[in-house]
Amino acid sequence: MVYKKIAKPVLFRMDAEKAHHLTINGLKTAAKIPGMSSVIGAAWGTGHAPELHSTLWGIAFPNPVGLAAGLDKNAQAVEGFSRMGFGFMEVGTVTPKPQSGNDKPRLFRLPEDEALINRMGFNNIGAEAMAQNLSRLGSHLIPVAVNIGKNKTTPNEQAEEDYRSCIRILYGHGDFFVVNISSPNTPDLRNLQHGNDLQRLLHAVTGEMKIQHERTGGAAKPVLVKIAPDLTDTELENTIAVIGGSGVSGIIVSNTTLGRDGLSHPNRDQAGGLSGRPLTSRSTELISRVYRMTEGRIPIIGSGGIFTAQDAYDKIRAGASLVEVYTALIYEGPGLLKKLNEGLSTLLKKDGFTHISEAIGADQRRL
């Protein structure tokens, strides 16, 4: 209520990117003040719910609702977000070298559509600086995934070296990794989702993950691939076939879309990737298709237009093991996490499930 009545009106009067930076810097600063992390947890944290706790890839997730990549691009506010009630979070997208991203303005709200359009272009401080930020944290309160990409100036023929570099630098600082080949805001990046390019990239990524695991010891860390919602049927089949044979640990479905169907706000004409409410049904359907294509053998993280517990539950019943939010957090505020988790517990009980694992892919089993 405080967010919607006080903070949101102030933030929404500001330029969207300035509001973004204010939020991240505020969380970063708050975490340095003695006792403030506990205040954040008391205000917005979610209680322990055994029915929502799960273990995937040997990693314990206290609840299934995570923060998608793009909000904490440089791992500056991990402690603050970790206290807010998330079950896990992604940081990044990070590239080997720092880069400024695309020209401003590059982030736009569409309030009537409950959506955002961004063309940020992987603006970030680079892998070395992110490693320093993560190293200062010590142990993680929740699992932290590092979302990795290539620099804009790196041609696709050399892309695997950028992904390898990110893994080498950040392997010791992330609990798992996400290969971003689906952002629409880096020229030609989405071409890496196809055919030989994808096969070559994933071979390089899984090879580097194995090298770093052998070098550092301990449990092997999973690596996932994030795909776009704009793949054609044929492209999706081919992409999933390559991913399925690559040895990667999971798939994130999905990134932002270039589609603009049904939008009413004038910002619909802005270039970039669309996120939020317009993706709700589209991403859920895509999860269903990917789950069927993989026969449920590869865990899926569902992302796209999750505003309510029912939205999240629909994605889980479609085949997602975990889900992620981003745009809804901007519109609803940090109280969203408690609402989603409490709602999921209620929906599980209503359907006669005692644990979230029973609901994963439940709609597919009815077909």
Side-chain angles (χ1 to χ4, degrees), residues 338-350:
K338 184 175 291 187
K339 182 174 72 172
L340 293 180
N341 280 290
E342 289 180 351
L344 281 171
S345 292
T346 299
L347 289 166
L348 286 172
K349 185 176 180 181
K350 179 182 176 182

Side-chain angles (χ1 to χ4, degrees), residues 10 31-32 57 64 72 78 82 123 167 183 211 259 330 336 346 349:
V10 172
K32 294 179 180 179
W57 314 298
D72 194 1
V78 173
S82 297
N123 56 308
I167 292 168
S183 169
I211 289 170
I330 306 301
L336 174 71
T346 299
K349 185 176 180 181

Side-chain angles (χ1 to χ4, degrees), residues 54-61 143 175-176 221-222:
S54 62
T55 301
L56 274 177
W57 314 298
I59 300 171
F61 294 86
D175 296 298
F176 61 107
K221 297 182 179 183

Side-chain angles (χ1 to χ4, degrees), residues 146-306:
V146 179
N147 186 299
I148 59 176
K150 79 174 187 72
N151 282 110
K152 184 177 181 179
T153 56
T154 303
N156 279 7
E157 294 76 18
Q158 300 171 22
E160 61 262 35
E161 292 307 317
D162 276 15
Y163 290 90
R164 278 184 178 272
S165 179
C166 287
I167 292 168
R168 281 195 295 269
I169 295 167
L170 288 157
Y171 187 84
H173 304 287
D175 296 298
F176 61 107
F177 288 78
V178 178
V179 176
N180 189 345
I181 50 174
S182 51
S183 169
N185 301 315
T186 295
D188 299 324
L189 182 73
R190 285 189 167 190
N191 291 338
L192 293 173
Q193 295 179 109
H194 312 300
N196 292 336
D197 284 343
L198 179 59
Q199 197 166 34
R200 186 178 69 248
L201 174 62
L202 296 185
H203 178 75
V205 165
T206 54
E208 189 62 45
M209 292 292 291
K210 183 178 180 181
I211 289 170
Q212 296 306 314
H213 171 229
E214 291 173 350
R215 182 182 65 84
T216 59
K221 297 182 179 183
V223 60
L224 287 71
V225 180
K226 189 170 189 175
I227 65 172
D230 302 323
L231 295 167
T232 67
D233 290 345
T234 300
E235 287 172 342
L236 180 63
E237 290 174 7
N238 293 337
T239 295
I240 297 304
V242 173
I243 290 174
S246 69
V248 301
S249 308
I251 306 171
I252 298 184
V253 183
S254 63
N255 213 318
T256 57
T257 180
L258 292 172
R260 295 293 186 268
D261 293 345
L263 300 180
S264 59
H265 193 277
N267 280 339
R268 65 183 181 273
D269 296 325
Q270 294 291 340
L274 174 74
S275 62
R277 176 59 74 189
L279 265 71
T280 305
S281 298
R282 185 173 188 169
S283 62
T284 302
E285 172 58 26
L286 188 57
I287 290 165
S288 294
R289 293 168 65 194
V290 172
Y291 186 86
R292 290 194 297 269
M293 287 177 182
T294 60
E295 298 179 340
R297 292 191 300 265
I298 302 177
I300 297 168
I301 297 180
S303 180
I306 296 174

